[in-house]
Amino acid sequence: SAIAVPVRSLDSYVAAAGLSNVDIIKVDVEGFDLAVLRGAAGILGDENGPALFVEYAPESLRSCGFDPIELLDFMFATYPHVLVVNEQKATVRRADRESLVEFSGPQYTLNLIGARRPEHVSAVADFLTGDS
């Protein structure tokens, strides 16, 4: 059976709530990430917009009808700093689009961070290494 639920974009929610400053957005929607990002294009595209934490799971994206390359294109077009988090090693490194395109097996999932400001990049690195 199906249950109808109301859906609202992040852009419309932020506007209706009168929020003027959003620092971080975390998206974890099991493959529907691009739908969420499209609904947040305004806030994410703002030059003072938030850092973005998103899961890159190519197989989950495909199973939800999205091309994983679209997520990469969005990240690299929107953010000057795209980072990959290795949770097990508590490290973060700069990502490049070409190596992520190669990363497409069904068992693979990466946590990506999009950041505009160097202080966001530093804060993530500090947090992961326990220096915060």
Side-chain angles (χ1 to χ4, degrees):
S1 66
I3 299 172
V5 295
V7 176
R8 186 174 200 178
S9 73
L10 281 172
D11 282 344
S12 70
Y13 176 82
V14 167
L19 299 175
S20 60
N21 187 29
V22 177
D23 289 319
I24 297 172
I25 294 177
K26 168 69 168 108
V27 178
D28 189 353
V29 291
E30 304 306 319
F32 287 100
D33 309 83
L34 273 165
V36 173
L37 299 180
R38 288 174 183 158
I43 190 170
L44 294 175
D46 184 285
E47 68 182 43
N48 294 311
L52 173 66
F53 289 64
V54 66
E55 191 174 67
Y56 178 60
E59 194 59 33
S60 293
L61 288 161
R62 283 186 201 97
S63 72
C64 294
F66 298 103
D67 179 351
I69 300 303
E70 287 183 61
L71 181 92
L72 297 179
D73 289 345
F74 180 91
M75 292 296 291
F76 285 93
T78 306
Y79 289 98
H81 307 284
V82 178
L83 311 167
V84 175
V85 177
N86 182 325
E87 293 177 45
Q88 291 76 26
K89 295 182 180 179
T91 61
V92 61
R93 66 173 172 79
R94 191 168 297 276
D96 67 273
R97 186 183 176 286
E98 293 73 29
S99 65
L100 293 176
V101 167
E102 300 296 319
F103 180 88
S104 61
Q107 71 275 24
Y108 296 115
T109 299
L110 292 174
N111 290 302
L112 301 180
I113 299 171
R116 270 195 192 74
R117 298 179 252 170
E119 61 267 24
H120 283 164
V121 176
S122 298
V124 169
D126 290 348
F127 176 76
L128 288 172
T129 59
D131 292 339
S132 57

